[in-house]
Amino acid sequence: TTRIIVADRTADRAARLARPLQQSGLQASPLWDPATVLDRVAETAPDLVLLADQVGDRDGPGLCRDIVARGGMEAPPVLLVLDAGLAGGRVRALESGARDVLSRGAPDDAAADKVLVDRVRALVRQHREQEQWRLHREATLRSAVTGAGSGTDLPRATRLALVGATEAEDLRVRSALSVDSTPVETVPLDEDAWSALVTLWPELVVIRLGADPAAGLALATRLRTDERTRRMPILMIGAADDPTTLTRALQGGVDDVMAAPLDDGELLARVRALMRLKRYREHLHDRYLRELSLAFTDALTGLHNRHYLISHLDAALARRRLSGKPLSLLMVAIDRFKDVNQAHGHPAGDRILAEVARRIAGNVRIFDLAARLGGEKFVVVMPDTGAGTTDLVAGRLRDTIRAEPVRLAPQHDDDPSLEVPVTVSIGAMTDAEDLKRPEDLLDRARGALDRARESGGDAIWSSPAPVS
């Protein structure tokens, strides 16, 4: 479902540039007229625009500047592919607003094609995460929760941590960034690097891969997987003759990569681009959190409530009609919940609801929506997700919830604590063209849930067929 516009100076060149993306299962549309490119971006909201250094009679960086100017921070990311040997081309491309820039590989160069595809996938992933934060914000505004903090925050001072660099590279980085008065803290690439970064709390982490690239990749992975540091932007610098390692870094969630030896102008442009993106994401996230009133949060579980869920689904369906990307739902219900309340009391039931909600929220993506529908039922909304992934997530949620009983506090000081096994039934569905309203999505997921419960519970039913 990834949609990409590919533009080059002629039809044949555009088709060749699009071919490795198409062979990787991406929807890449080759174009060669700059006016058509601008119109298609506005009409179709693609996931990414891939531009050559020349598109028809237009300069590629100039066309990139037009795309970014029209869409602002909501414009799709632009990846510029330049012919080798263009003096100053990389810096100029980044300054035009491109999210990344690559040198064009030779025809049928499998390694260059793989780098291109991996860069595209990394940029699309980042764009979709940003898109979902925007969707959260739209849902909040649709619900008229606009009372708190409508002003724009002033950006904080940049703090950059440089990890694993040599003394000469340290001086080079400080010199390149001195034009922005950017303070740079040097951190050794060792077993204490992650703890040092948590203490410094930089706005941007630059990791220099040295003789042991695995150490830098491991640090990036920990930054990405720990809740405290997962939103820190990461720029990784590696060897020009080792594109495979830089590709692995992008696949692991690094925001940007560049090859040594360092070019001062390119480094400055990439740092500025990452900081603009970071501040925009923070703006979306902070405004969303400030404007989300308690009226749209379930007090017991801390998840969104039904009112917000309906608003979010309405916005998600509108986005789906524009993009054509799948929208999937899971409806999760605790099995025999009434029996639990009768046997252990309503406080125990509340404790189980809160714990199940915590396990659901902890096992979905950061931009998925987990909400309490009411009673013992929960809903997970998963944008850009097809049926296969939906079923896998449903299985993971069911296994996680049943893997460990919920421990209940004793009612009296001398009573032992009680462990209650909990299972859930899950109805999974991926939307179809005939579903136009939030209630339609919920009804279809509810039908699948009913089939799962009828099978005895602790089961998943995916509309229209069972998963297990």
Side-chain angles (χ1 to χ4, degrees):
T1 60
T2 299
R3 297 188 306 174
I4 300 163
I5 291 175
V6 180
D8 208 330
R9 65 187 70 189
T10 66
D12 289 343
R13 286 174 64 96
R16 286 200 301 270
L17 188 56
R19 191 171 298 124
L21 304 180
Q22 295 167 339
Q23 291 172 343
S24 298
L26 304 173
Q27 296 181 17
S29 303
L31 300 173
W32 56 94
D33 176 61
T36 303
V37 171
L38 291 173
D39 290 343
R40 195 72 62 84
V41 169
E43 293 168 0
T44 63
D47 293 290
L48 182 134
V49 181
L50 178 62
L51 299 180
D53 58 292
Q54 190 78 22
V55 178
D57 59 356
R58 283 290 308 274
D59 172 67
L63 183 57
C64 172
R65 189 172 287 106
D66 287 349
I67 293 172
V68 174
R70 290 188 179 193
M73 293 302 295
E74 297 186 15
V78 178
L79 173 59
L80 271 161
V81 178
L82 307 180
D83 285 340
L86 289 177
R90 298 178 70 85
V91 175
R92 183 165 173 263
L94 292 167
E95 290 177 344
S96 73
R99 287 288 303 281
D100 206 350
V101 55
L102 291 176
S103 296
R104 187 189 295 268
D108 301 321
D109 184 341
D113 289 348
K114 185 177 188 306
V115 170
L116 173 64
V117 171
D118 287 332
R119 291 286 181 100
V120 165
R121 291 190 187 279
L123 289 174
V124 168
R125 172 181 52 77
Q126 295 167 16
H127 180 64
R128 286 186 172 178
E129 181 176 337
Q130 177 176 309
E131 208 174 38
Q132 295 313 316
W133 277 119
R134 193 178 302 122
L135 179 60
H136 279 308
R137 170 145 175 78
E138 289 173 7
T140 303
L141 292 177
R142 285 170 183 257
S143 302
V145 189
T146 57
S150 58
T152 301
D153 292 334
L154 293 174
R156 296 172 297 192
T158 302
R159 300 176 305 280
L160 186 145
L162 178 60
V163 183
T166 65
E167 185 175 349
E169 289 169 335
D170 183 18
L171 293 174
R172 185 73 178 270
V173 170
R174 291 177 188 273
S175 174
L177 302 182
S178 63
V179 65
D180 286 346
S181 301
T182 302
V184 178
E185 296 284 348
T186 304
V187 176
L189 182 52
D190 55 26
E191 61 184 12
D192 298 322
W194 182 83
S195 298
L197 291 173
V198 172
T199 302
L200 288 173
W201 204 253
E203 287 193 296
L204 175 65
V205 179
V206 179
I207 302 175
R208 175 64 166 103
L209 298 179
D212 182 15
L217 293 173
L219 175 60
T221 298
R222 185 167 185 189
L223 288 169
R224 274 292 165 266
T225 54
D226 191 281
E227 179 63 31
R228 289 164 288 183
T229 57
R230 64 191 301 184
R231 292 188 180 91
M232 280 185 184
I234 304 173
L235 169 62
M236 187 164 283
I237 301 172
D241 60 356
D242 187 15
T244 301
T245 298
L246 293 181
T247 295
R248 288 176 56 199
L250 288 169
Q251 293 170 340
V254 167
D255 296 277
D256 197 7
V257 297
M258 65 179 294
L262 299 179
D263 177 274
D264 291 2
E266 181 180 353
L267 175 63
L268 179 62
R270 288 186 182 276
V271 168
R272 285 175 173 174
L274 283 174
M275 289 312 305
R276 282 195 302 271
L277 181 62
K278 178 180 188 293
R279 288 169 182 166
Y280 179 63
R281 287 175 174 172
E282 286 177 342
H283 171 71
L284 287 176
H285 186 227
D286 293 346
R287 286 284 295 270
Y288 160 70
L289 292 178
R290 284 200 306 270
E291 293 171 355
L292 189 61
S293 159
L294 289 176
F296 298 94
T297 304
D298 178 62
L300 176 63
T301 63
L303 300 181
H304 296 294
N305 62 13
R306 180 189 176 91
H307 187 76
Y308 182 86
L309 170 65
I310 297 298
S311 179
H312 182 86
L313 284 174
D314 195 41
L317 281 170
R319 185 67 62 86
R320 182 210 176 281
R321 285 191 289 271
L322 176 64
S323 69
K325 300 168 188 172
L327 174 66
S328 295
L329 258 69
L330 299 178
M331 189 173 290
V332 184
I334 301 174
D335 294 327
R336 294 171 287 280
F337 185 67
K338 291 182 180 179
D339 295 342
V340 173
N341 275 332
Q342 291 176 356
H344 305 290
H346 288 284
D350 289 348
R351 165 74 181 117
I352 290 173
L353 284 169
E355 176 59 22
V356 169
R358 186 189 69 79
R359 296 182 191 182
I360 291 174
N363 284 276
V364 296
R365 297 172 300 184
I366 190 171
F367 49 77
D368 292 334
L369 177 79
R372 185 182 178 194
L373 185 63
E376 77 281 16
K377 293 187 180 70
F378 303 87
V379 170
V380 178
V381 183
M382 298 184 293
D384 303 346
T385 307
T389 302
T390 301
D391 294 341
L392 289 173
V393 174
R396 183 174 71 232
L397 288 179
R398 181 190 61 177
D399 294 344
T400 299
I401 291 169
R402 72 180 177 187
E404 185 177 347
V406 177
R407 183 182 296 273
L408 303 179
Q411 296 184 3
H412 304 287
D413 291 342
D414 55 348
D415 288 346
S417 60
L418 181 65
E419 292 187 343
V420 178
V422 176
T423 62
V424 294
S425 297
I426 300 177
M429 62 81 55
T430 300
D431 70 328
E433 292 294 335
D434 60 317
L435 302 181
K436 306 298 183 184
R437 305 176 305 143
E439 291 78 7
D440 297 334
L441 296 171
L442 294 173
D443 286 346
R444 185 161 296 182
R446 187 179 290 108
L449 173 63
D450 290 343
R451 297 295 299 273
R453 289 180 134 180
E454 289 167 3
S455 69
D458 192 21
I460 302 167
W461 194 283
S462 181
S463 178
V467 176
S468 58

